[in-house]
Amino acid sequence: MDVLYFAWVRERIGLPREVVETQAATVMDLVEDLRKREERYAAAFADVTALRVALDQQLADFDAPLDGVREVAFFPPMTGG
Amino acid sequence: MDVLYFAWVRERIGLPREVVETQAATVMDLVEDLRKREERYAAAFADVTALRVALDQQLADFDAPLDGVREVAFFPPMTGG
Amino acid sequence: MRVVVQDAPFDFGQEADAFATGHTVSGAIVTFTGVVRDVAGGLKAMEIEHYPGMTEAALTEIAGQAVTRWSLEDALVIHRYGTLAPGEMIMMVATAARHRKDAFEAAEYLMDYLKSRAPFWKREVTADGAEWVAARAVDEDALNRW
Amino acid sequence: MRVVVQDAPFDFGQEADAFATGHTVSGAIVTFTGVVRDVAGGLKAMEIEHYPGMTEAALTEIAGQAVTRWSLEDALVIHRYGTLAPGEMIMMVATAARHRKDAFEAAEYLMDYLKSRAPFWKREVTADGAEWVAARAVDEDALNRW
């Protein structure tokens, strides 16, 4: 599964994207897996209410299932316009 | 006093402006004077709720006094924009 | 703030660009443009009559009120009169503010007042003759929200 | 309907004019333009990051919803990414409708959704360093009216 990071999530984790092997059933399960990896992941995912997630480029909730999903992206609330 | 007519008021009366000698105290008094002149005036001023009036280029009410007013204009509701 | 009343066409792109450029305090620029439309088909021309002198005064007052009420950095009103063909631009307004809400509201206010309080009268010319455009109750009602 | 995501500057006057020209059914054209503003003073640049692929899809969906909901004849969204200087234009939207109320509402809807639902992130660069722009609660709340 491709996992992408944007804005300060990308900066804290230190990379824009990576391939993650996971058995996580939901986005929140994936977040738990990532938090355990290293301090920089724990820091980036400390408060998920400050984050947004997209599954295959569609905004989703953190309890959404990951069945069939190829691309997960984490980022802060958007500031377009 | 200069009296101006615009849009279909101008068309019905048949002229864009004229000088009117009047003792009218209010706009409505002036309207009554004009109505008595000729049929084309009576037709133009038949229904004053369909008209608007400006005194010295400021929108006003039909019961407004004419003291010191130099220019009166009659016209239908405006359709700008 | 600039108010222009003219019979000549105006260059919308150039006016919009000139207005939007150079306002570094304002993050939000809104423009509105009114175009002669031929909804029913068969419109030959739109004739616009106005009240010289009062028109400029009324537009200046309306624009000034918008600038004050929404703390605009700038406002622009251009309105044509005379004979216009379908597709021609009748008028434009532009507003510059720090935040988009103010720029949008001020532009809507300008349009609502300009529609019903600036001395312009439109007449549509078709093959069947010419007819004065009637004021719409919905336009008069629009003023109540301000 | 056209959606453009690019790092290059766009010509606002030319885009606005091209959009406004040739829509004879639409009497009302609204544009909104967002400009990099330097309110506090000292802003060196605005950096805009985005999510290639998702950005275009999100903007296309938002614009499509606006076209349907307000029966627009046309809609345009242009949004830049990359490094912009103060005074540069970040983005523009344009809407074409028969009546001004629809054109205004659709443009505000586009802006409200684009602010909070299109994957862009802004960072302000000053002499003191760079800081991500925080999303504002007022922008999220603005979505509730639609």
Side-chain angles (χ1 to χ4, degrees):
Chain A
M1 176 180 290
D2 288 320
V3 181
L4 283 65
Y5 310 111
F6 291 97
W8 58 253
V9 182
R10 172 179 54 71
E11 290 182 328
R12 282 196 199 168
I13 290 174
L15 47 103
R17 66 189 302 154
E18 61 186 319
V19 176
V20 174
E21 301 297 332
T22 179
Q23 303 299 318
T26 69
V27 175
M28 205 57 221
D29 293 341
L30 174 61
V31 168
E32 297 293 352
D33 283 358
L34 292 169
R35 274 175 177 160
K36 287 171 194 152
R37 286 182 154 199
E38 287 178 48
E39 177 51 32
R40 58 198 168 102
Y41 286 94
F45 289 105
D47 176 14
V48 291
T49 67
L51 295 179
R52 300 290 178 269
V53 64
L55 303 182
D56 289 330
Q57 306 193 352
Q58 292 277 341
L59 286 172
D61 292 322
F62 279 81
D63 57 5
L66 292 178
D67 293 342
V69 169
R70 286 157 299 132
E71 185 173 297
V72 179
F74 293 103
F75 41 78
M78 294 151 277
T79 53
Chain B
M1 177 181 288
D2 289 321
V3 181
L4 283 66
Y5 311 112
F6 291 97
W8 57 254
V9 182
R10 172 179 55 70
E11 291 182 327
R12 282 194 200 169
I13 291 174
L15 46 104
R17 66 188 301 153
E18 62 185 319
V19 176
V20 173
E21 300 298 331
T22 179
Q23 303 300 319
T26 68
V27 174
M28 205 56 220
D29 293 340
L30 174 61
V31 168
E32 297 293 352
D33 283 358
L34 292 168
R35 275 175 177 160
K36 287 171 195 156
R37 287 184 155 197
E38 288 177 47
E39 176 51 34
R40 57 197 169 102
Y41 286 94
F45 289 105
D47 176 14
V48 292
T49 66
L51 295 179
R52 299 291 179 268
V53 63
L55 303 181
D56 290 331
Q57 307 193 353
Q58 291 278 341
L59 286 172
D61 293 322
F62 279 81
D63 57 3
L66 292 178
D67 292 344
V69 169
R70 287 158 297 133
E71 184 173 297
V72 179
F74 294 103
F75 41 78
M78 294 150 276
T79 54
Chain C
M1 194 180 96
R2 191 160 67 96
V3 168
V4 181
V5 181
Q6 63 183 29
D7 59 353
F10 60 91
D11 185 328
F12 171 58
Q14 194 176 303
E15 293 287 353
D17 195 60
F19 185 86
T21 305
H23 293 139
T24 51
V25 173
S26 295
I29 311 286
V30 169
T31 73
F32 178 92
T33 314
V35 180
V36 178
R37 66 201 160 98
D38 182 15
V39 175
L43 184 72
K44 287 182 168 176
M46 169 82 82
E47 294 174 357
I48 303 175
E49 183 172 337
H50 81 120
Y51 185 170
M54 180 172 167
T55 309
E56 291 80 354
L59 294 180
T60 301
E61 192 186 331
I62 293 165
Q65 282 170 353
V67 166
T68 303
R69 183 159 168 179
W70 284 277
S71 303
L72 301 181
E73 188 181 350
D74 201 3
L76 167 68
V77 178
I78 302 176
H79 205 302
R80 295 181 62 191
Y81 58 88
T83 303
L84 283 71
E88 280 196 77
M89 292 178 193
I90 303 169
M91 48 70 61
M92 72 173 285
V93 303
T95 56
R98 288 199 179 192
H99 298 293
R100 73 185 186 285
K101 188 169 181 294
D102 292 328
F104 272 119
E105 278 191 9
E108 291 189 73
Y109 172 93
L110 280 176
M111 286 308 304
D112 285 350
Y113 270 84
L114 200 151
K115 274 266 168 195
S116 305
R117 292 292 180 270
F120 291 100
W121 300 276
K122 293 194 187 112
R123 185 158 66 162
E124 290 178 342
V125 182
T126 66
D128 298 332
E131 200 156 343
W132 292 100
V133 174
R136 302 188 313 159
V138 66
D139 285 329
E140 187 66 29
D141 293 347
L143 298 182
N144 293 330
R145 62 172 160 158
W146 304 114
Chain D
M1 195 180 97
R2 191 160 67 97
V3 168
V4 181
V5 181
Q6 63 184 28
D7 59 352
F10 60 92
D11 185 328
F12 171 58
Q14 193 177 303
E15 293 287 353
D17 194 60
F19 185 85
T21 305
H23 293 139
T24 52
V25 173
S26 295
I29 311 286
V30 168
T31 73
F32 178 92
T33 314
V35 180
V36 178
R37 66 199 159 100
D38 183 15
V39 175
L43 183 71
K44 287 183 167 175
M46 170 82 83
E47 295 175 357
I48 303 175
E49 182 171 337
H50 80 121
Y51 184 170
M54 179 172 166
T55 308
E56 291 81 355
L59 294 179
T60 300
E61 192 186 333
I62 293 166
Q65 282 170 352
V67 166
T68 303
R69 183 159 169 179
W70 283 277
S71 302
L72 302 181
E73 188 180 351
D74 201 4
L76 167 67
V77 178
I78 303 176
H79 205 303
R80 295 181 61 190
Y81 59 88
T83 303
L84 283 70
E88 279 197 75
M89 292 177 193
I90 302 169
M91 49 69 62
M92 72 173 285
V93 303
T95 56
R98 289 200 177 189
H99 299 293
R100 72 186 187 285
K101 187 170 182 293
D102 292 329
F104 271 119
E105 278 191 11
E108 291 189 74
Y109 173 93
L110 280 176
M111 285 309 304
D112 285 350
Y113 270 84
L114 200 151
K115 273 267 168 195
S116 305
R117 291 291 180 273
F120 291 100
W121 301 275
K122 294 195 187 111
R123 186 158 65 162
E124 291 179 341
V125 182
T126 65
D128 298 334
E131 199 155 341
W132 292 100
V133 174
R136 301 188 312 158
V138 67
D139 285 329
E140 187 67 29
D141 293 346
L143 298 181
N144 292 331
R145 63 171 160 159
W146 305 113

